[in-house]
Amino acid sequence: MFKKIPVFIVLLTLSLSLLYAGGKKDQQVQQVQQPADRATLVFPLLHHFSAREYAEGQVTESERDIIVQAGLRAPSAGNRQPWLFTVVQDQDLVKQILPDATEGNILIVGSGLLDGSRNEAVMLDAGLAAQSMFIAAQALGLGARQYTNPALIGRANSLKDELGIPEDHTAIIVTRFGRLPAGVDAVSSASPRADPETKVVYR
């Protein structure tokens, strides 16, 4: 009976079996490697280097627009998007808010309507948007730093008219963007992170 089976069918069957086995093996290798591959895409953007020193030089219009778009795409509770971004490029205004700013720095002031009932959600959403812009700036090779200290936020709130912030809005967070000095980047200059075992609990 077996002698009647054409040789080419036997060979075809063996070939298909080998291809299937090889495909399964490749799939298994891919599944094993996939998490590591994803990490190499994600982690380089998440060093969270908070730059203190900047080089003189303008943030380009293209860079600025990418940073702003990153903020606009941030998540928010109920998709309310409760933030207002004021992009401060005028260097006199920049220095009024942040006196030690380097020439060419821009500031983005995140403000929102704090009505006394949803303040925490609005502040969290503004923070998420600012963080999205922060990460975008680092991906572009720029320096970024976030400020929430009362003195600086107070200066921003005292300039509502100049900044175009509505009277019923309150400045929540200010993020600074600028060019980094030569030899400084977010990867090599990032501060060491805490031991994950002290910061993460699995249940």
Side-chain angles (χ1 to χ4, degrees):
M1 177 178 179
F2 292 105
K3 292 180 180 179
K4 295 181 180 180
I5 300 176
V7 175
F8 82 90
I9 292 181
V10 175
L11 293 174
L12 179 62
T13 303
L14 286 172
S15 300
L16 291 173
S17 298
L18 290 171
L19 284 172
Y20 177 78
K24 291 288 287 184
K25 183 177 179 181
D26 290 342
Q27 186 178 18
Q28 290 171 352
V29 171
Q30 185 179 8
Q31 288 174 348
V32 170
Q33 292 179 344
Q34 192 175 35
D37 292 342
R38 288 182 176 180
T40 60
L41 293 173
V42 174
F43 291 160
L45 306 181
L46 298 175
H47 287 277
H48 297 96
F49 167 55
S50 189
R52 293 180 179 274
E53 296 183 5
Y54 296 80
E56 291 189 0
Q58 298 292 325
V59 174
T60 69
E61 184 175 327
S62 173
E63 291 168 337
R64 178 205 66 195
D65 290 347
I66 290 171
I67 290 167
V68 170
Q69 283 297 319
L72 293 172
R73 296 181 184 199
S76 61
N79 196 31
R80 286 193 292 268
Q81 305 171 55
W83 47 65
L84 174 68
F85 304 138
T86 301
V87 182
V88 187
Q89 304 172 103
D90 181 281
Q91 294 300 294
D92 289 336
L93 273 176
V94 168
K95 293 290 179 64
Q96 288 184 60
I97 299 171
L98 187 65
D100 63 349
T102 303
E103 189 67 28
N105 285 175
I106 66 171
L107 304 177
I108 297 184
V109 180
S111 62
L113 178 60
L114 303 184
D115 59 9
S117 63
R118 295 188 302 191
N119 287 2
E120 291 81 3
V122 173
M123 293 174 75
L124 176 60
D125 290 343
L128 286 170
Q131 186 70 353
S132 292
M133 293 188 281
F134 184 99
I135 293 171
Q138 289 198 343
L140 293 169
L142 298 172
R145 187 172 184 82
Q146 295 172 328
Y147 301 86
T148 56
N149 71 73
L152 191 146
I153 296 299
R155 289 195 291 271
N157 278 317
S158 70
L159 295 166
K160 283 185 178 181
D161 288 344
E162 293 87 343
L163 296 174
I165 298 176
E167 186 57 38
D168 59 357
H169 277 50
T170 301
I172 297 169
I173 187 167
V174 175
T175 311
R176 175 187 187 182
F177 304 96
R179 313 225 77 82
L180 289 170
V184 177
D185 63 84
V187 176
S188 62
S189 303
S191 301
R193 309 314 296 171
D195 185 342
E197 292 186 1
T198 69
K199 298 295 180 183
V200 184
V201 176
Y202 295 96
R203 289 290 184 267

